[in-house]
Amino acid sequence: MSFLLVTHSHLRWLILIVALAAVLKFAWGWLRGGTFQRPDRILASSFSGLMDLQAALGLILLVWSGLAGAGFPMFRIEHAVTMTIAAVVAHLNTRWKNAEDKIRFRNSLFIVIDTLIIVFIGVARLPGGWGR
């Protein structure tokens, strides 16, 4: 279980790197009026896929440690629900896959930003929050 916890803990940094790259790329594409191409789709998919992996690891940890004796305190449930919502929000960019490029860049940008805000709220629900 410690391997899962370490993986869950370190995966957040990869998510943050991909999110920052996505914010920069989508903002640039939106501002300059670029074409939403395959690398942009890969970046959006990578972000949402990493969010899915993080949520899955978190849910496994929640159930496993909860049944192993740690229980299910409310802060862990709140964290799990908030992060599940973040993972769902990360997938919303597929709603605009047929939109014009400028709208796809704009919406993808705000989806990543919104997801990061929800993640911030979810981490803040944990004891120690960002100070861990």
Side-chain angles (χ1 to χ4, degrees):
M1 183 152 93
S2 63
F3 173 75
L4 285 178
L5 183 60
V6 169
T7 303
H8 183 68
S9 181
H10 285 61
L11 185 59
R12 65 183 162 176
W13 299 114
L14 181 58
I15 290 171
L16 184 60
I17 291 168
V18 172
L20 290 175
V23 165
L24 293 173
K25 180 70 170 90
F26 296 155
W28 181 256
W30 180 33
L31 294 174
R32 73 173 177 88
T35 303
F36 203 92
Q37 297 178 346
R38 180 176 159 89
D40 304 311
R41 288 190 300 276
I42 290 171
L43 190 56
S45 295
S46 297
F47 178 69
S48 61
L50 287 169
M51 288 296 298
D52 288 344
L53 178 59
Q54 184 75 329
L57 289 174
L59 290 173
I60 291 167
L61 283 167
L62 173 71
V63 172
W64 192 346
S65 65
L67 295 175
F72 299 94
M74 187 53 74
F75 71 86
R76 293 181 76 206
I77 301 298
E78 291 171 352
H79 176 72
V81 170
T82 305
M83 294 309 206
T84 301
I85 292 168
V88 170
V89 169
H91 283 276
L92 290 179
N93 59 357
T94 59
R95 292 185 45 96
W96 292 278
K97 66 181 177 181
N98 295 322
E100 66 180 64
D101 293 330
K102 192 168 184 100
I103 291 171
R104 282 185 80 179
F105 276 120
R106 181 198 66 200
N107 292 356
S108 295
L109 170 66
F110 286 115
I111 285 167
V112 173
I113 291 170
D114 291 346
T115 301
L116 291 175
I117 291 169
I118 296 167
V119 166
F120 178 80
I121 293 167
V123 171
R125 291 301 312 138
L126 294 172
W130 290 97
R132 293 184 304 124

